């Protein structure tokens, strides 16, 4: 068993479920156990450690490997420490056919293990960078509201490149879509169900809206293409309206998931939908949810450090993924960010989450090779 594999098995055995997915004070909740465990390992490897308090009992864990001489650039390794929920047995790591099973195996404790192992091994190498500082940041709350990466940016953390750990099958990812959740409400006029002519049916109005969003609007989005990410999409995910059969409903609500491509903003999408409905003579109110929007990511693949990382990974072209992650937050905060890690997102959040152990090891080796090549 390699050091990275052992570390991953230990991490799976320490539940760090995002508290948003559990009842209050659940024993599996929170990232603290994992952060403390990693801190002990990092301290033994001689790294400088620090906790950045973000929420009560929830801190980002930060470990730094200072260069031998002066810091001229900083590379940030940033996986998240939280996972989605699971039943108790998923916290017992199981090794089978070259795979390790357990909650967080690929999303994203695999990246945590690969990245921390790489930085700890680097600390021991006489050839380690003379002028590049390497920082590991285990972030909280990626699965819910990205409070960890948002706090890092808020406190003006700066780096020349962030490698955000997520399962990309060791592909260097420079772009992903954003996601906007919108709520629309139609308002009608209630009346007795026996005399619907005296009311105005909010459900009927919404039915028309759902229809045009899923047909005409979706078709319009399909004409917009991003070279790596493809087209933006729209999905009407929920609908609710009316009280009982014999009342003309005066209210109906839908929620929409709108996946955005770089260049589309929350404001521009809202404007576009309002205008689209107006042109169809349909009326709905856009409810302001005040959720932090999940922005799209687009990092210039021509940046020298991105080029260097691509080359070191043996990849000629960057790729895009369909999932949102901390990279978008860091990138919006001024840190050029790519996504990279062992494991396949197809296994993330599933009951049988697993990671290929050879890929895990390769991920660690690739990171170590890249970091050790820096000045
Ligand atoms: Zn993740």
């Amino acid at each position: 068993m390699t050091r990275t594999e052992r570390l991953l098995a230990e991490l799976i055995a320490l539940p760090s479920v995002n508290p948003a997915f559990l009842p209050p004070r659940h024993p599996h909740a929170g990232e603290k156990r994992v952060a403390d465990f990693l801190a002990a390992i990092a301290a033994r490897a001689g790294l400088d450690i620090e906790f950045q308090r973000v929420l009560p009992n929830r801190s980002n864990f930060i470990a730094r490997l200072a260069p031998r001489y002066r810091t001229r650039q900083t590379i940030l390794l940033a996986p998240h420490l939280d996972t989605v929920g699971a039943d108790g047995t998923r916290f017992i790591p199981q090794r089978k056919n070259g795979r390790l099973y357990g909650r967080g195996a690929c999303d994203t404790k695999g990246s945590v293990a690969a990245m921390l192992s790489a930085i700890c091994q680097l600390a021991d190498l006489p050839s380690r960078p003379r002028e590049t500082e390497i920082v590991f940041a285990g972030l909280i709350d990626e699965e819910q509201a990205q409070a960890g990466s948002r706090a890092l940016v808020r406190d003006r953390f700066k780096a020349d490149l962030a490698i955000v750990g997520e399962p990309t099958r060791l592909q260097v990812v420079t772009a992903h879509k954003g996601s906007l959740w919108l709520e629309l409400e139609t308002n009608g006029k209630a009346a007795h169900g026996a005399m619907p002519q005296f009311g105005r049916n909010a459900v009927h109005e919404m039915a028309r809206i759902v229809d045009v969003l899923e047909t005409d609007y979706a078709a319009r989005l399909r004409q917009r293409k991003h070279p790596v990410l493809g087209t933006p999409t729209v999905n009407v995910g929920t609908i609710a309206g009316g009280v009982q059969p014999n009342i003309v409903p005066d209210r109906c609500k839908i929620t929409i998931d709108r996946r955005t491509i770089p260049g589309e903003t929350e404001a521009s999408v809202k404007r576009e939908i309002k205008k689209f409905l107006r042109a169809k003579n349909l009326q709905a109110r856009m409810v302001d949810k005040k959720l932090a929007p999940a922005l799209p990511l687009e990092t210039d693949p021509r940046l020298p450090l991105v080029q260097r990382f691509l080359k070191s990974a043996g990849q000629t072209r960057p790729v895009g993924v369909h999932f949102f992650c901390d990279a978008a937050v860091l990138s919006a905060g001024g840190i050029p960010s790519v996504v990279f890690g062992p494991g396949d997102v197809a296994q993330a959040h599933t009951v049988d989450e697993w990671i290929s152990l050879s890929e895990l090891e390769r991920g660690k080796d690739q990171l170590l090779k890249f970091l050790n090549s820096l000045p």
Side-chain angles (χ1 to χ4, degrees):
M1 198 189 272
T2 68
R3 208 162 124 178
T4 316
E5 181 187 338
R6 194 170 55 238
L7 176 56
L8 176 54
E10 287 167 330
L11 289 172
I12 290 170
L14 294 173
S16 56
V17 176
N18 192 303
F21 310 137
L22 291 171
R25 285 180 297 279
H26 191 282
H28 289 164
E31 300 87 349
K32 190 175 185 311
R33 255 181 309 264
V34 166
D36 289 343
F37 176 74
L38 296 176
I41 295 173
R44 272 202 303 278
L47 309 182
D48 300 323
I49 61 171
E50 187 192 324
F51 290 94
Q52 179 193 21
R53 192 173 176 280
V54 180
L55 293 165
N57 242 326
R58 299 178 71 189
S59 299
N60 288 334
F61 162 64
I62 297 169
R64 290 170 196 274
L65 177 61
R68 288 186 189 281
Y69 307 120
R70 211 172 96 203
T71 298
R72 284 192 194 275
Q73 60 177 2
T74 298
I75 305 288
L76 173 67
L77 306 176
H80 62 87
L81 304 182
D82 60 318
T83 70
V84 293
D87 76 59
T89 61
R90 305 291 160 208
F91 301 105
I92 304 162
Q94 308 271 3
R95 192 183 206 276
K96 212 164 63 194
N97 303 328
R99 296 171 173 179
L100 194 62
Y101 285 80
R103 176 54 80 224
C106 74
D107 186 11
T108 235
K109 289 179 171 174
S111 289
V112 173
M115 287 175 163
L116 194 78
S117 300
I119 191 172
C120 288
Q121 280 191 33
L122 187 68
D124 275 342
L125 294 179
S127 58
R128 75 181 164 88
R130 283 161 318 208
E131 298 175 336
T132 304
E133 177 193 41
I134 318 289
V135 180
F136 173 96
L139 302 172
I140 66 156
D141 194 40
E142 191 274 342
E143 298 288 359
Q144 174 69 6
Q146 302 84 43
S149 54
R150 291 181 204 279
L152 210 63
V153 164
R154 192 192 54 222
D155 284 7
R156 306 225 155 67
F157 182 91
K158 288 284 169 249
D160 299 276
L161 176 70
I163 303 174
V164 171
E166 290 285 352
T168 68
R169 291 161 43 227
L170 304 182
Q171 302 253 57
V172 180
V173 167
T174 57
H176 66 57
K177 289 184 190 178
S179 150
L180 264 178
W181 286 9
L182 303 170
E183 193 175 300
L184 285 180
E185 187 181 298
T186 49
N187 294 106
K189 186 166 161 254
H192 193 289
M195 291 168 289
Q197 66 273 27
F198 296 123
R200 218 172 54 244
N201 192 318
V203 168
H204 190 188
E205 178 81 352
M206 190 59 92
R208 291 191 179 104
I209 290 176
V210 172
D211 185 42
V212 296
L213 287 176
E214 290 279 347
T215 54
D216 297 3
Y217 184 60
R220 179 186 291 193
L221 294 182
R222 280 196 293 275
Q223 283 166 14
R224 226 170 269 166
K225 264 207 184 79
H226 182 273
V228 176
L229 299 173
T231 69
T233 57
V234 62
N235 174 57
V236 178
T238 69
I239 184 163
V243 184
Q244 59 189 59
N246 60 356
I247 301 175
V248 174
D250 65 349
R251 259 158 52 115
C252 186
K253 266 187 191 181
I254 57 170
T255 55
I256 301 170
D257 182 353
R258 171 71 161 75
R259 299 294 160 127
T260 58
I261 57 175
E264 295 184 316
T265 64
E266 181 174 7
S268 76
V269 168
K270 283 183 171 169
R271 241 189 344 260
E272 176 183 77
I273 292 177
K274 281 183 196 161
K275 202 170 144 211
F276 173 81
L277 293 179
R278 222 179 304 124
K280 301 263 179 199
N281 256 323
L282 293 164
Q283 260 188 29
R285 200 166 61 83
M286 185 103 40
V287 184
D288 233 331
K289 295 286 277 182
K290 293 259 173 345
L291 285 172
L295 300 165
L297 169 74
E298 185 165 56
T299 298
D300 186 351
R302 290 165 306 187
L303 289 174
L305 276 170
V306 177
Q307 279 294 318
R308 197 177 176 131
F309 187 43
L310 277 167
K311 215 163 158 202
S312 153
Q315 202 176 317
T316 49
R317 236 181 299 173
V319 295
V321 288
H322 59 77
F323 60 87
F324 171 82
C325 70
D326 281 325
V329 178
L330 298 178
S331 175
I335 305 173
S337 303
V338 298
V339 192
F340 173 87
D344 191 327
V345 76
Q347 273 87 50
H349 301 197
T350 63
V351 180
D352 273 327
E353 184 173 348
W354 56 268
I355 194 167
S356 146
L357 286 167
S358 62
E359 201 174 296
L360 175 73
E361 204 57 28
R362 253 195 346 271
K364 188 268 293 169
D365 289 343
Q366 279 188 28
L367 286 164
L368 183 59
K369 180 178 135 208
F370 169 66
L371 297 174
N372 198 33
S373 78
L374 296 168

